[in-house]
Amino acid sequence: MKALCWHGKKDIRCETVPDPKVEDPRDAIVRVTSCAICGSDLHLFDGFMPGMKSGDIIGHEFMGEVVEVGPGNRKLRVGDRVVVPFTICCGECEQCRRGNWSVCETTNRNKDLAQKAFGHTTAGLFGYTHLTGGYAGGQAQYVRVPFADVAPVKIPNELTDEQVLFLGDIFPTGWQAAVQCDIQPTDTVAIWEAGPVGQFCARSALLLGAAQVIVIDNVPERLSMARAGGATTIDFDEESVLDRLKQLTRGKGPEKCIDAVGMEAHVTRSLDSIVDRAKQAVMLETDRPHVLREMIYVCRPCGVLSIPGVYGGLVDKIPFGALMNKGLTVRTGQTHVNRWTDDLLRRIEEGQVDPSFVVTHTVPLEQGPKMYETFRDKLDGCVKVVLKP
C-alpha cells in the first residue's frame, strides 16, 4: 500500500509499505477513504517531538471502511463506515472506565518510555512517536486499528466524509477545550490561533453560550473564517493583543483563555519567542510558550486557562507567580475523544454544525509531502488539508 512516512525533520515521503494485518482478535483493518494533516503532525515535521524513527507511518486523523475484523471483535462488521479516534483505548482499565480515554493505562506498547518522560503512561496514539506506542498512522491506504471494539465511531451513510472526519480529533479537541472553560453566559473567551483547532474552539464556545469569542492570529483567510463563525478577531501583526483585549473587555480581560497553539508559537511574534527559539537550537528548551505566558498575563483573575495545544517537553520563564496570585485554573490534556463523539455526531446530524467548513485543500495522498509545507506556511490561505488515498 501507499503511506506517508517520516524520515527526519522536514522529510515526509509517500512510499510503498507492507499492508497491515490482523494481529489480535480485537483488531480491525480499515481502508482509509479520507485522512487529514493535523497541526500536531507539524511538530513531527519540524522535528520537535522525540521518539520518531525513520520509516514511521504518520497521521492520526482518518476514517474509512472496515475490510477485515478479528474474531474477537463483536462491535464491527466488514463494510461498516467508521471514524477512528486518534486515541487507542482498551475500554477496560480504570482510566477508560472513568472516560479518561487519552490516558488509557493499557494501549501504550512503550509505556516504560512514557513513564520515564511523563511520570505515568498515556494512551497509545496513531502515528505519533514511539513515546505513545509507535503505532502506524492513518495517512495511508489501510490501517490496522487495535482494540477496534472500543473507539471507532460508526457513521451513517448519508453524511459525507468531510462532515464527520474531524470527529476523530480536532472537533472533539476544540469542544473539550471549550467545555474545560466552564463557559458562562456573560463570558468572553479568547482563543490564540485560528487554525483548525482554534476554529472549532471558537464555534464550540459559541454553541456553549459564550457572550463574546475573540480569535487571535495573523493569517487573513483564517481570521476571515473565524469571523464567519461569529468571532471577533485580532491580527497580532496589525495591533497589540494586550491593548485590543483590554478594549474588548472594558479593561477587565477575558474570563476564559484557550491556547490552541502549543509548542510552536510564532517565532517573530515577540522577543521572548525569539529567545525560546534560540534555546531550542541549543537544546536548552523544547517548546516556545509565548502564548501561555500571554494568557497568564491577560486572563481575568479567577479565570480559566484551557490548553489543547500540544506541548512536548520543557518550557522556561513561566510567570507562575501571576498564575498563583490571580487564582487561575489551568486545564489541559490530550482529548478524551469518545467522551464527546455521540453528542457531536448528533449535532452534525441535526445541522447545528457542519465541520466541513474548515476544509480548504483536498488532494491525493501522493501530494501529502508537498502539502505539509503548504499547511505549515499557511500558503493559499490553508486552514485544513484533507488527503484522499
Side-chain angles (χ1 to χ4, degrees):
M1 69 172 184
K2 297 289 186 182
L4 299 191
C5 301
W6 185 93
H7 286 281
K9 183 177 179 180
K10 294 182 172 57
D11 187 2
I12 306 294
R13 308 174 196 172
C14 186
E15 298 181 326
T16 300
V17 300
D19 291 349
K21 298 179 180 179
V22 168
E23 300 176 16
D24 182 271
R26 297 172 67 181
D27 284 356
I29 303 298
V30 172
R31 179 182 65 82
V32 178
T33 57
S34 294
C35 55
I37 299 175
C38 181
S40 300
D41 292 324
L42 298 185
H43 303 322
L44 309 180
F45 181 70
D46 289 333
F48 288 125
M49 291 297 291
M52 294 296 292
K53 295 182 180 180
S54 183
D56 283 348
I57 300 172
I58 58 178
H60 56 270
E61 197 165 36
F62 62 96
M63 66 173 294
E65 179 187 352
V66 176
V67 294
E68 188 176 354
V69 178
N73 190 322
R74 299 290 180 262
K75 175 180 179 178
L76 299 180
R77 296 181 178 180
V78 171
D80 282 347
R81 187 167 172 242
V82 294
V83 168
V84 181
F86 74 94
T87 47
I88 303 170
C89 320
C90 74
E92 299 167 348
C93 70
E94 181 180 354
Q95 293 287 12
C96 284
R97 291 196 303 271
R98 294 182 179 211
N100 299 329
W101 304 103
S102 72
V103 288
C104 172
E105 299 168 320
T106 303
T107 57
N108 189 341
R109 299 184 295 190
N110 297 322
K111 61 177 62 178
D112 289 344
L113 287 176
Q115 287 169 347
K116 289 178 182 178
F118 304 133
H120 295 84
T121 189
T122 56
L125 306 180
F126 287 100
Y128 211 73
T129 94
H130 290 263
L131 278 173
T132 56
Y135 289 95
Q139 291 172 14
Q141 291 177 309
Y142 295 89
V143 182
R144 170 184 168 250
V145 180
F147 300 93
D149 53 350
V150 179
V153 181
K154 294 183 182 180
I155 300 299
N157 289 329
E158 58 266 23
L159 297 174
T160 68
D161 278 16
E162 286 73 17
Q163 287 178 289
V164 294
L165 171 61
F166 308 122
L167 282 171
D169 184 358
I170 58 170
F171 190 8
T173 295
W175 185 262
Q176 177 172 298
V179 170
Q180 287 178 163
C181 287
D182 187 24
I183 292 171
Q184 303 300 309
T186 57
D187 280 350
T188 291
V189 180
I191 300 163
W192 277 254
E193 193 231 20
V197 170
Q199 299 289 343
F200 281 110
C201 288
R203 281 162 173 76
S204 297
L206 289 166
L207 281 170
L208 290 167
Q212 179 177 218
V213 172
I214 303 167
V215 176
I216 302 154
D217 205 294
N218 70 335
V219 181
E221 294 86 353
R222 294 183 174 208
L223 292 170
S224 177
M225 182 179 285
R227 287 193 295 272
T232 300
T233 59
I234 298 174
D235 184 336
F236 64 71
D237 281 343
E238 301 295 330
E239 55 186 335
S240 164
V241 174
L242 304 185
D243 291 346
R244 184 66 172 137
L245 283 175
K246 186 177 292 187
Q247 180 186 39
L248 289 168
T249 60
R250 298 182 299 281
K252 294 187 175 182
E255 289 93 345
K256 310 294 165 62
C257 297
I258 298 177
D259 175 359
V261 178
M263 65 167 65
E264 290 190 74
H266 200 280
V267 172
T268 58
R269 169 70 179 87
S270 60
L271 178 61
D272 64 309
S273 288
I274 295 172
V275 173
D276 286 333
R277 185 66 188 92
K279 288 182 177 180
Q280 282 181 324
V282 293
M283 301 183 70
L284 291 177
E285 187 179 21
T286 59
D287 305 358
R288 302 193 296 268
H290 167 78
V291 167
L292 186 55
R293 297 184 189 114
E294 192 163 79
M295 291 201 317
I296 292 171
Y297 187 77
V298 304
C299 190
R300 188 177 303 194
C302 291
V304 176
L305 310 181
S306 180
I307 309 173
V310 173
Y311 286 86
L314 303 175
V315 295
D316 196 6
K317 299 294 188 292
I318 297 300
F320 208 85
L323 179 76
M324 180 270 169
N325 283 289
K326 291 169 70 175
L328 303 181
T329 296
V330 180
R331 302 190 70 181
T332 70
Q334 296 282 4
T335 308
H336 305 302
V337 176
N338 288 93
R339 187 185 294 180
W340 317 111
T341 46
D342 287 350
D343 180 39
L344 296 182
L345 179 58
R346 175 186 61 81
R347 290 174 185 270
I348 294 170
E349 290 179 304
E350 292 177 355
Q352 293 184 37
V353 60
D354 182 354
S356 65
F357 78 89
V358 81
V359 178
T360 51
H361 294 65
T362 302
V363 301
L365 181 70
E366 290 80 3
Q367 293 185 26
K370 178 182 177 182
M371 296 308 295
Y372 265 85
E373 282 287 357
T374 299
F375 190 25
R376 180 184 180 276
D377 297 329
K378 300 146 182 109
L379 300 173
D380 303 319
C382 183
V383 177
K384 190 65 173 177
V385 178
V386 173
L387 306 174
K388 296 288 187 178

Short mmCIF file of all heavy atoms in Angstrom, two decimals, residues 153-192:
data_model
loop_
_atom_site.label_atom_id
_atom_site.label_comp_id
_atom_site.label_asym_id
_atom_site.label_seq_id
_atom_site.Cartn_x
_atom_site.Cartn_y
_atom_site.Cartn_z
N VAL A 153 -16.04 5.02 15.70
CA VAL A 153 -17.39 5.57 15.71
C VAL A 153 -18.08 5.22 14.39
O VAL A 153 -17.60 5.60 13.32
CB VAL A 153 -17.36 7.10 15.89
CG1 VAL A 153 -18.78 7.67 15.92
CG2 VAL A 153 -16.59 7.49 17.16
N LYS A 154 -19.18 4.49 14.46
CA LYS A 154 -19.92 4.14 13.24
C LYS A 154 -20.62 5.37 12.68
O LYS A 154 -21.22 6.16 13.43
CB LYS A 154 -20.93 3.04 13.53
CG LYS A 154 -20.30 1.70 13.91
CD LYS A 154 -21.38 0.64 14.12
CE LYS A 154 -20.78 -0.68 14.55
NZ LYS A 154 -21.82 -1.73 14.75
N ILE A 155 -20.56 5.52 11.36
CA ILE A 155 -21.05 6.72 10.70
C ILE A 155 -22.19 6.36 9.73
O ILE A 155 -22.04 5.45 8.91
CB ILE A 155 -19.91 7.41 9.93
CG1 ILE A 155 -18.78 7.81 10.87
CG2 ILE A 155 -20.44 8.60 9.14
CD1 ILE A 155 -19.19 8.79 11.95
N PRO A 156 -23.32 7.09 9.79
CA PRO A 156 -24.40 6.84 8.82
C PRO A 156 -23.99 7.25 7.42
O PRO A 156 -23.23 8.20 7.23
CB PRO A 156 -25.55 7.71 9.35
CG PRO A 156 -24.92 8.74 10.22
CD PRO A 156 -23.68 8.10 10.79
N ASN A 157 -24.49 6.55 6.44
CA ASN A 157 -24.06 6.75 5.05
C ASN A 157 -24.47 8.10 4.48
O ASN A 157 -23.86 8.58 3.53
CB ASN A 157 -24.62 5.63 4.16
CG ASN A 157 -23.93 4.30 4.42
OD1 ASN A 157 -22.76 4.27 4.77
ND2 ASN A 157 -24.66 3.21 4.27
N GLU A 158 -25.49 8.74 5.05
CA GLU A 158 -25.96 10.00 4.47
C GLU A 158 -25.02 11.18 4.76
O GLU A 158 -25.18 12.25 4.16
CB GLU A 158 -27.37 10.33 4.96
CG GLU A 158 -27.53 10.45 6.45
CD GLU A 158 -27.97 9.14 7.10
OE1 GLU A 158 -27.73 8.07 6.48
OE2 GLU A 158 -28.52 9.19 8.20
N LEU A 159 -24.07 11.02 5.67
CA LEU A 159 -23.12 12.08 5.97
C LEU A 159 -21.85 11.90 5.15
O LEU A 159 -21.36 10.78 4.98
CB LEU A 159 -22.77 12.09 7.46
CG LEU A 159 -23.93 12.39 8.41
CD1 LEU A 159 -23.49 12.24 9.86
CD2 LEU A 159 -24.48 13.80 8.18
N THR A 160 -21.31 12.99 4.63
CA THR A 160 -20.09 12.92 3.83
C THR A 160 -18.87 12.74 4.72
O THR A 160 -18.90 13.04 5.92
CB THR A 160 -19.90 14.19 2.99
OG1 THR A 160 -19.64 15.30 3.87
CG2 THR A 160 -21.13 14.49 2.15
N ASP A 161 -17.77 12.28 4.12
CA ASP A 161 -16.52 12.17 4.87
C ASP A 161 -16.14 13.49 5.51
O ASP A 161 -15.72 13.55 6.67
CB ASP A 161 -15.38 11.72 3.94
CG ASP A 161 -15.35 10.21 3.71
OD1 ASP A 161 -16.37 9.54 4.01
OD2 ASP A 161 -14.32 9.71 3.23
N GLU A 162 -16.25 14.57 4.74
CA GLU A 162 -15.81 15.87 5.23
C GLU A 162 -16.65 16.36 6.42
O GLU A 162 -16.16 17.13 7.25
CB GLU A 162 -15.85 16.91 4.11
CG GLU A 162 -14.75 16.76 3.08
CD GLU A 162 -14.92 15.56 2.15
OE1 GLU A 162 -16.04 15.01 2.08
OE2 GLU A 162 -13.94 15.18 1.48
N GLN A 163 -17.90 15.91 6.52
CA GLN A 163 -18.73 16.29 7.65
C GLN A 163 -18.32 15.59 8.94
O GLN A 163 -18.51 16.14 10.03
CB GLN A 163 -20.19 15.99 7.36
CG GLN A 163 -20.86 16.92 6.37
CD GLN A 163 -22.30 16.52 6.11
OE1 GLN A 163 -22.56 15.51 5.48
NE2 GLN A 163 -23.23 17.30 6.62
N VAL A 164 -17.76 14.38 8.84
CA VAL A 164 -17.54 13.58 10.05
C VAL A 164 -16.07 13.26 10.32
O VAL A 164 -15.73 12.84 11.43
CB VAL A 164 -18.33 12.25 9.97
CG1 VAL A 164 -19.82 12.52 9.99
CG2 VAL A 164 -17.94 11.45 8.73
N LEU A 165 -15.19 13.46 9.34
CA LEU A 165 -13.78 13.10 9.51
C LEU A 165 -13.18 13.68 10.79
O LEU A 165 -12.42 13.01 11.50
CB LEU A 165 -12.98 13.58 8.29
CG LEU A 165 -11.45 13.49 8.36
CD1 LEU A 165 -10.99 12.05 8.55
CD2 LEU A 165 -10.84 14.09 7.09
N PHE A 166 -13.54 14.92 11.11
CA PHE A 166 -12.89 15.61 12.21
C PHE A 166 -13.43 15.21 13.58
O PHE A 166 -12.94 15.70 14.60
CB PHE A 166 -12.99 17.12 12.00
CG PHE A 166 -12.49 17.52 10.62
CD1 PHE A 166 -13.33 18.19 9.75
CD2 PHE A 166 -11.23 17.17 10.20
CE1 PHE A 166 -12.88 18.52 8.47
CE2 PHE A 166 -10.78 17.49 8.94
CZ PHE A 166 -11.61 18.17 8.06
N LEU A 167 -14.40 14.26 13.60
CA LEU A 167 -14.81 13.67 14.88
C LEU A 167 -13.67 12.87 15.51
O LEU A 167 -13.70 12.59 16.71
CB LEU A 167 -16.01 12.75 14.68
CG LEU A 167 -17.38 13.41 14.53
CD1 LEU A 167 -18.42 12.37 14.13
CD2 LEU A 167 -17.79 14.10 15.82
N GLY A 168 -12.69 12.49 14.71
CA GLY A 168 -11.57 11.70 15.23
C GLY A 168 -10.54 12.50 15.99
O GLY A 168 -9.71 11.93 16.70
N ASP A 169 -10.60 13.85 15.87
CA ASP A 169 -9.59 14.65 16.56
C ASP A 169 -10.05 16.09 16.78
O ASP A 169 -10.49 16.46 17.84
CB ASP A 169 -8.27 14.62 15.79
CG ASP A 169 -7.14 15.37 16.50
OD1 ASP A 169 -7.39 15.94 17.57
OD2 ASP A 169 -6.01 15.38 15.98
N ILE A 170 -9.96 16.94 15.74
CA ILE A 170 -9.99 18.38 16.01
C ILE A 170 -11.36 18.92 16.46
O ILE A 170 -11.39 19.91 17.20
CB ILE A 170 -9.48 19.20 14.80
CG1 ILE A 170 -10.30 18.92 13.54
CG2 ILE A 170 -8.01 18.97 14.59
CD1 ILE A 170 -9.97 19.89 12.41
N PHE A 171 -12.46 18.30 16.06
CA PHE A 171 -13.75 18.77 16.56
C PHE A 171 -13.89 18.47 18.05
O PHE A 171 -14.16 19.37 18.86
CB PHE A 171 -14.89 18.19 15.73
CG PHE A 171 -16.25 18.78 16.01
CD1 PHE A 171 -16.41 19.89 16.83
CD2 PHE A 171 -17.39 18.23 15.44
CE1 PHE A 171 -17.66 20.44 17.09
CE2 PHE A 171 -18.65 18.78 15.69
CZ PHE A 171 -18.78 19.87 16.53
N PRO A 172 -13.69 17.21 18.49
CA PRO A 172 -13.71 16.96 19.94
C PRO A 172 -12.64 17.73 20.70
O PRO A 172 -12.86 18.11 21.85
CB PRO A 172 -13.48 15.45 20.05
CG PRO A 172 -13.88 14.90 18.74
CD PRO A 172 -13.56 15.95 17.72
N THR A 173 -11.49 17.98 20.07
CA THR A 173 -10.44 18.74 20.74
C THR A 173 -10.89 20.17 21.01
O THR A 173 -10.72 20.70 22.11
CB THR A 173 -9.15 18.73 19.90
OG1 THR A 173 -8.65 17.39 19.84
CG2 THR A 173 -8.08 19.63 20.51
N GLY A 174 -11.47 20.81 20.00
CA GLY A 174 -11.99 22.15 20.20
C GLY A 174 -13.13 22.17 21.20
O GLY A 174 -13.25 23.08 22.03
N TRP A 175 -13.99 21.16 21.14
CA TRP A 175 -15.13 21.07 22.05
C TRP A 175 -14.64 20.88 23.49
O TRP A 175 -15.10 21.57 24.42
CB TRP A 175 -16.03 19.92 21.64
CG TRP A 175 -17.28 19.80 22.43
CD1 TRP A 175 -17.52 18.98 23.49
CD2 TRP A 175 -18.50 20.56 22.24
NE1 TRP A 175 -18.79 19.15 23.96
CE2 TRP A 175 -19.42 20.12 23.22
CE3 TRP A 175 -18.88 21.54 21.34
CZ2 TRP A 175 -20.70 20.64 23.32
CZ3 TRP A 175 -20.17 22.06 21.43
CH2 TRP A 175 -21.06 21.62 22.42
N GLN A 176 -13.71 19.94 23.72
CA GLN A 176 -13.20 19.71 25.07
C GLN A 176 -12.53 20.97 25.61
O GLN A 176 -12.68 21.30 26.79
CB GLN A 176 -12.21 18.53 25.07
CG GLN A 176 -11.59 18.28 26.43
CD GLN A 176 -10.76 17.01 26.47
OE1 GLN A 176 -11.28 15.91 26.26
NE2 GLN A 176 -9.47 17.13 26.75
N ALA A 177 -11.78 21.66 24.76
CA ALA A 177 -11.12 22.90 25.20
C ALA A 177 -12.14 23.91 25.70
O ALA A 177 -11.91 24.61 26.70
CB ALA A 177 -10.30 23.49 24.07
N ALA A 178 -13.28 24.01 25.00
CA ALA A 178 -14.32 24.94 25.41
C ALA A 178 -15.05 24.45 26.66
O ALA A 178 -15.33 25.23 27.58
CB ALA A 178 -15.31 25.16 24.27
N VAL A 179 -15.35 23.15 26.72
CA VAL A 179 -16.02 22.60 27.90
C VAL A 179 -15.17 22.81 29.15
O VAL A 179 -15.70 23.13 30.23
CB VAL A 179 -16.33 21.10 27.69
CG1 VAL A 179 -16.79 20.45 29.00
CG2 VAL A 179 -17.39 20.92 26.62
N GLN A 180 -13.85 22.63 29.01
CA GLN A 180 -12.95 22.83 30.15
C GLN A 180 -13.00 24.25 30.71
O GLN A 180 -12.60 24.48 31.86
CB GLN A 180 -11.51 22.49 29.74
CG GLN A 180 -11.26 21.01 29.57
CD GLN A 180 -9.85 20.67 29.12
OE1 GLN A 180 -9.42 19.52 29.24
NE2 GLN A 180 -9.13 21.63 28.59
N CYS A 181 -13.48 25.19 29.91
CA CYS A 181 -13.56 26.58 30.35
C CYS A 181 -14.75 26.84 31.27
O CYS A 181 -14.83 27.92 31.87
CB CYS A 181 -13.66 27.51 29.13
SG CYS A 181 -12.14 27.68 28.20
N ASP A 182 -15.69 25.90 31.35
CA ASP A 182 -16.89 26.11 32.16
C ASP A 182 -17.53 27.45 31.78
O ASP A 182 -17.70 28.35 32.60
CB ASP A 182 -16.56 26.08 33.66
CG ASP A 182 -17.80 26.13 34.54
OD1 ASP A 182 -18.89 25.74 34.07
OD2 ASP A 182 -17.68 26.59 35.69
N ILE A 183 -17.91 27.57 30.52
CA ILE A 183 -18.37 28.84 29.96
C ILE A 183 -19.71 29.26 30.56
O ILE A 183 -20.66 28.47 30.62
CB ILE A 183 -18.47 28.73 28.42
CG1 ILE A 183 -17.06 28.58 27.82
CG2 ILE A 183 -19.18 29.94 27.82
CD1 ILE A 183 -17.05 28.25 26.36
N GLN A 184 -19.76 30.53 30.97
CA GLN A 184 -20.97 31.15 31.49
C GLN A 184 -21.52 32.14 30.46
O GLN A 184 -20.78 32.63 29.61
CB GLN A 184 -20.68 31.85 32.82
CG GLN A 184 -20.09 30.94 33.88
CD GLN A 184 -20.99 29.76 34.23
OE1 GLN A 184 -22.18 29.96 34.52
NE2 GLN A 184 -20.44 28.55 34.18
N PRO A 185 -22.82 32.47 30.54
CA PRO A 185 -23.43 33.32 29.51
C PRO A 185 -22.82 34.71 29.38
O PRO A 185 -22.98 35.35 28.34
CB PRO A 185 -24.89 33.41 29.97
CG PRO A 185 -25.12 32.20 30.79
CD PRO A 185 -23.82 31.93 31.48
N THR A 186 -22.11 35.19 30.39
CA THR A 186 -21.50 36.53 30.33
C THR A 186 -20.03 36.49 29.95
O THR A 186 -19.38 37.55 29.90
CB THR A 186 -21.65 37.23 31.69
OG1 THR A 186 -21.05 36.41 32.70
CG2 THR A 186 -23.11 37.47 32.02
N ASP A 187 -19.49 35.32 29.67
CA ASP A 187 -18.04 35.17 29.48
C ASP A 187 -17.56 35.67 28.13
O ASP A 187 -18.21 35.48 27.10
CB ASP A 187 -17.63 33.70 29.61
CG ASP A 187 -17.52 33.24 31.05
OD1 ASP A 187 -17.58 34.09 31.95
OD2 ASP A 187 -17.39 32.01 31.27
N THR A 188 -16.35 36.25 28.17
CA THR A 188 -15.55 36.44 26.97
C THR A 188 -14.51 35.33 26.91
O THR A 188 -13.80 35.10 27.90
CB THR A 188 -14.84 37.81 26.99
OG1 THR A 188 -15.81 38.84 26.84
CG2 THR A 188 -13.83 37.91 25.85
N VAL A 189 -14.44 34.65 25.78
CA VAL A 189 -13.47 33.57 25.58
C VAL A 189 -12.48 34.03 24.52
O VAL A 189 -12.87 34.35 23.39
CB VAL A 189 -14.16 32.27 25.12
CG1 VAL A 189 -13.12 31.16 24.93
CG2 VAL A 189 -15.21 31.84 26.12
N ALA A 190 -11.20 34.10 24.88
CA ALA A 190 -10.15 34.47 23.93
C ALA A 190 -9.40 33.22 23.50
O ALA A 190 -9.02 32.39 24.34
CB ALA A 190 -9.18 35.47 24.56
N ILE A 191 -9.18 33.08 22.19
CA ILE A 191 -8.56 31.88 21.62
C ILE A 191 -7.35 32.30 20.80
O ILE A 191 -7.47 33.09 19.87
CB ILE A 191 -9.57 31.13 20.74
CG1 ILE A 191 -10.79 30.70 21.56
CG2 ILE A 191 -8.92 29.91 20.06
CD1 ILE A 191 -11.99 30.33 20.74
N TRP A 192 -6.21 31.77 21.18
CA TRP A 192 -4.99 32.05 20.44
C TRP A 192 -4.82 31.00 19.34
O TRP A 192 -4.67 29.83 19.61
CB TRP A 192 -3.79 32.03 21.38
CG TRP A 192 -3.56 33.31 22.12
CD1 TRP A 192 -2.58 34.24 21.88
CD2 TRP A 192 -4.31 33.82 23.24
NE1 TRP A 192 -2.69 35.29 22.77
CE2 TRP A 192 -3.74 35.06 23.61
CE3 TRP A 192 -5.43 33.34 23.95
CZ2 TRP A 192 -4.23 35.82 24.67
CZ3 TRP A 192 -5.91 34.10 24.99
CH2 TRP A 192 -5.32 35.33 25.35
#
